[in-house]
Amino acid sequence: MLEIINDYWVYFLIGQYPNGPLGGLVLTLLLASCGLVLALPLGIVLGLARVSPWRWLRWPVTGFVFVVRGLPLLMVIFWAYFFLPSVTGVKTDQFTTMLIALVVFDAAYLAEIVRAGIQGLPRGQMETARALGLDYGRAMRLVVLPQALRSMLPSLVNQFVSTIKETSLGYIIGLAEVSFIATQINTQVFTKPAQIYLILGLTYFILCFGLSRFAYWLERRLARRGMSMANSASAPKVSA
């Protein structure tokens, strides 16, 4: 195993770059990061539409979210790879295709995270903001959404973990992410598949387990902060 790492660690990390396209672990992390960052604004918009009081907006968005969440990511990738070029007439490369699929797929899941974050707030936040003279849009933007986003941070980290693992499906369209590179290394070595895929599995485990523990730490930190703020608010004030 150490011999494989010593011989192929650069290829495993960055693929053929700079003499070829970027690949490997760096491409996996880049793709997952870009996918989540681009999906977050769309997910927030869809999540706000999911809790909207207007049925004409809430129902179509709810249908879209349910359809995407009910499909495997593999099907979304196939649509992005085969269906979009036939409609738009523009053939996208593997990275762009996978990025589009991840953005659409993650946005549906982020929409549910946003919806749960908003509905998980104490009751009366919206009513209090409206009583202060704010309209619905400003009350949601200035009062409700900032509180919901703070409580959503652990879920966003967990979604990033899921996105990292989802990038491995780029293998089916020839994207040179880390699992594709591992297969290429196995083709060259040929006699040590167990060691190669053990290295790949350990790489995913270290990344995802580390991020999961960070999400757990963040969740506990936010919970302690919320308890301390609640205790401070409920503490009796001594008048001079």
Side-chain angles (χ1 to χ4, degrees):
M1 183 181 297
L2 293 177
E3 181 182 354
I4 296 173
I5 295 175
N6 183 63
D7 292 341
Y8 294 98
W9 70 271
V10 176
Y11 187 44
F12 188 80
L13 287 178
I14 60 175
Q16 300 176 353
Y17 188 82
N19 299 318
L22 182 68
L25 183 60
V26 172
L27 181 62
T28 291
L29 294 176
L30 178 63
L31 182 60
S33 301
C34 291
L36 191 64
V37 168
L38 294 176
L40 183 57
L42 180 58
I44 292 175
V45 171
L46 294 176
L48 292 175
R50 288 276 284 119
V51 297
S52 169
W54 302 295
R55 293 181 180 179
W56 60 268
L57 178 61
R58 186 175 67 250
W59 286 4
V61 171
T62 299
F64 170 79
V65 170
F66 282 178
V67 168
V68 175
R69 284 169 56 89
L71 292 173
L73 177 58
L74 184 64
M75 185 65 66
V76 180
I77 295 172
F78 281 153
W79 282 351
Y81 194 66
F82 296 108
F83 179 70
L84 284 181
S86 64
V87 173
T88 62
V90 178
K91 178 69 174 178
T92 58
D93 57 21
Q94 290 95 333
F95 181 87
T96 305
T97 299
M98 190 65 192
L99 183 60
I100 292 172
L102 284 177
V103 168
V104 172
F105 197 74
D106 282 354
Y109 281 85
L110 290 173
E112 288 299 279
I113 293 175
V114 173
R115 179 194 60 80
I118 292 174
Q119 294 181 342
L121 292 176
R123 299 178 67 110
Q125 295 288 322
M126 176 60 73
E127 289 78 5
T128 302
R130 296 297 297 272
L132 293 174
L134 299 178
D135 58 24
Y136 178 84
R138 294 183 63 195
M140 183 65 72
R141 178 169 56 90
L142 299 176
V143 178
V144 176
L145 190 57
Q147 297 181 69
L149 288 175
R150 280 195 295 270
S151 65
M152 287 158 37
L153 287 176
S155 297
L156 292 178
V157 177
N158 286 327
Q159 185 62 35
F160 183 55
V161 172
S162 299
T163 305
I164 289 175
K165 292 183 287 187
E166 289 163 358
T167 58
S168 62
L169 289 176
Y171 174 91
I172 64 173
I173 58 174
L175 182 67
E177 41 75 45
V178 67
S179 60
F180 183 89
I181 292 296
T183 303
Q184 296 297 309
I185 295 174
N186 181 55
T187 303
Q188 297 178 31
V189 178
F190 193 69
T191 57
K192 299 179 180 179
Q195 293 91 325
I196 292 172
Y197 288 107
L198 178 60
I199 294 171
L200 177 63
L202 287 174
T203 301
Y204 277 118
F205 174 78
I206 291 171
L207 279 174
C208 297
F209 180 75
L211 288 170
S212 297
R213 297 306 300 174
F214 173 70
Y216 176 71
W217 171 84
L218 188 60
E219 185 176 4
R220 295 188 63 184
R221 178 182 175 87
L222 291 173
R224 288 197 301 266
R225 183 178 178 182
M227 291 178 61
S228 64
M229 291 177 64
N231 292 334
S232 300
S234 62
K237 297 182 179 180
V238 179
S239 59

